[in-house]
Amino acid sequence: MRTRSESPKKQSRWKWLIITLSIIIVAVVAALVYWGVGVYSALDDFKKEPEKSRFTDVTPEKPVEVPKWEGKERVNILLLGGDVRDADENGIARSDSMMVASFDPVTKKAHLFSVLRDTYARIEDHGKGRINSAITMGGPNLAMKTVGDLLGLEIQYFVYTDFEGFKSLIDTIGGIYFDVEKDMRYTDNADGNRYDIDLKQGYQLLDGDKALQYVRFRHDAMSDYTRTERQRNFLKAVASELQSGWNLIRMKEILESVSPYIETNLTVGDMLKLGQLGVESHVGGTAQIPPMELVSEEHVGGASVIGIRDEDALIGFVQEILSTDETIPVPTESPAADGSSEGDGDGTNSGSGSSGSSNRSGSSSSAR
């Protein structure tokens, strides 16, 4: 029995469908290649050549060995924010903000530590000094070594940016919706009042300029103590936004926007591995260094600095934070019929909606 062949009209429809699908596939592949090349190129620009580095003229008196990350052990990254208006004679600004992002590739937990910039710490070959001055004495390597020794961690990488780099990042991702916990105002006469602070209380969309105002504000009773807490909470919101599908698609554009302002010792390969780890990880906790219970107010040369009561206890505190996970609900107890307390059977009160938090700064006010 003969099988009728398809009509020429039907064959034509199949032909055009195949051609259309082929064009779409080629276009998608081309877009992915373009995106991949663009992302790679933007990431590669983060690691500046020696002649383009802002730290060319700042080297430690003796080489500082930087630990290598093999990919399976904990990795720690020092995040440095610099205010170029505070540059010394070498043109290097002391660190206006210092944070350590710590990732465990096994548990997929990330922790964020804020280091108070006036912390009085040992700086190798320079005695003791404010921890934010280490970068001006020996560049990022000495800063990593100094902060790592204080926290009892090996810090493998640094990422440095300035005010404009931070603003560019926030603007490129379309701003961040955030709850500003109170009115914030401060007049900064430097640079023609370019960095004045004027924020209203409430939930709102913060663009780059307003986001910078928020994370810089320190003119309240607790000064840097509450400022570092604000910074940690805001960066958590930024990290969450960057993990969204739309921003992952736009990553080439985002990276290109901040590339002129960023410097790091990360290779592209390390960035890609860390990027994947970051997408897979969740924030297990945040903390201020040193915590309030270990702070000792001291005066050196007539100036106030932040001393540490017990350096071993500080290292123990860091390890305690690294072992916590604020996303795991804290067991709660509910009153039994006889007035005593009892659990709900599984150790948690599912109706409470509360969760444990290792966001420990010791301050009396909390940024939202």
Side-chain angles (χ1 to χ4, degrees):
M1 182 176 181
R2 292 178 56 187
T3 303
R4 289 187 303 169
S5 60
E6 293 180 337
S7 67
K9 187 175 181 180
K10 193 171 184 179
Q11 288 178 347
S12 179
R13 286 201 301 268
W14 279 109
K15 177 182 177 182
W16 283 110
L17 177 61
I18 293 171
I19 291 174
T20 302
L21 289 175
S22 299
I23 292 173
I24 292 174
I25 291 170
V26 169
V28 169
V29 171
L32 288 174
V33 170
Y34 171 77
W35 180 87
V37 171
V39 167
Y40 187 97
S41 178
L43 291 174
D44 195 40
D45 287 341
F46 283 11
K47 189 171 184 179
K48 304 296 189 280
E49 296 296 328
E51 63 273 12
K52 294 182 180 179
S53 172
R54 70 192 77 199
F55 304 110
T56 300
D57 298 327
V58 184
T59 55
E61 294 182 359
K62 66 178 184 180
V64 177
E65 184 177 351
V66 177
K68 292 184 178 180
W69 182 48
E70 302 298 337
K72 296 181 180 179
E73 73 280 17
R74 178 177 296 280
V75 58
N76 301 296
I77 307 163
L78 177 61
L79 308 175
L80 297 160
D83 181 354
V84 293
R85 301 171 304 168
D86 190 33
D88 66 4
E89 64 274 11
N90 295 317
I92 303 300
R94 288 176 296 178
S95 309
D96 186 66
S97 61
M98 308 179 73
M99 295 187 181
V100 174
S102 183
F103 294 87
D104 187 332
V106 176
T107 63
K108 299 296 190 293
K109 286 192 300 184
H111 290 81
L112 188 65
F113 298 94
S114 303
V115 182
L116 295 175
R117 63 182 186 175
D118 289 331
T119 301
Y120 202 57
R122 291 184 180 84
I123 303 175
E124 192 173 80
D125 297 325
H126 294 275
K128 296 191 73 173
R130 283 186 174 85
I131 199 165
N132 69 335
S133 65
I135 195 169
T136 69
M137 299 175 182
N141 286 4
L142 185 58
M144 287 190 289
K145 172 68 174 172
T146 303
V147 176
D149 288 347
L150 180 70
L151 274 62
L153 297 174
E154 287 191 336
I155 298 181
Q156 297 94 339
Y157 302 112
F158 79 91
V159 178
Y160 180 97
T161 190
D162 58 21
F163 286 178
E164 296 306 311
F166 177 82
K167 289 168 59 177
S168 180
L169 170 63
I170 303 304
D171 283 336
T172 306
I173 63 178
I176 296 289
Y177 280 97
F178 203 79
D179 193 1
V180 177
E181 68 271 17
K182 62 181 179 181
D183 290 347
M184 298 180 180
R185 290 188 180 88
Y186 177 71
T187 300
D188 189 342
N189 292 320
D191 294 321
N193 299 97
R194 182 180 180 183
Y195 294 113
D196 282 358
I197 296 174
D198 186 8
L199 293 175
K200 295 287 188 180
Q201 179 181 359
Y203 187 74
Q204 58 197 280
L205 178 66
L206 299 180
D207 61 12
D209 183 64
K210 291 187 180 298
L212 181 63
Q213 292 179 38
Y214 181 77
V215 299
R216 288 187 62 231
F217 185 76
R218 54 178 291 195
H219 306 281
D220 49 20
M222 296 299 290
S223 187
D224 255 1
Y225 300 104
T226 46
R227 185 178 80 143
T228 56
E229 187 175 1
R230 290 186 194 103
Q231 291 173 348
R232 293 194 306 273
N233 282 295
F234 189 80
L235 285 184
K236 286 169 64 177
V238 174
S240 177
E241 185 66 24
L242 285 172
Q243 288 179 323
S244 71
W246 175 238
N247 280 322
L248 289 176
I249 293 172
R250 297 178 59 242
M251 192 56 62
K252 175 180 176 291
E253 177 187 352
I254 293 170
L255 295 176
E256 288 176 343
S257 73
V258 300
S259 180
Y261 310 102
I262 287 183
E263 187 160 348
T264 183
N265 64 337
L266 284 157
T267 66
V268 174
D270 287 332
M271 289 185 220
L272 294 175
K273 286 193 293 184
L274 284 170
Q276 180 64 33
L277 178 58
V279 170
E280 296 174 350
S281 298
H282 66 276
V283 177
T286 68
Q288 170 192 287
I289 301 297
M292 288 297 291
E293 63 267 24
L294 294 178
V295 166
S296 169
E297 294 290 345
E298 300 179 9
H299 290 82
V300 178
S304 178
V305 297
I306 297 173
I308 300 170
R309 297 182 184 277
D310 187 331
E311 294 182 3
D312 290 336
L314 176 58
I315 292 175
F317 170 80
V318 171
Q319 291 302 315
E320 177 189 347
I321 295 299
L322 291 175
S323 67
T324 62
D325 189 342
E326 66 180 17
T327 64
I328 298 177
V330 174
T332 58
E333 296 181 339
S334 56
D338 60 1
S340 62
S341 295
E342 63 179 13
D344 63 359
D346 62 355
T348 63
N349 185 347
S350 59
S352 69
S354 63
S355 64
S357 173
S358 54
N359 185 358
R360 299 170 57 177
S361 68
S363 62
S364 58
S365 65
S366 174
R368 297 171 188 170

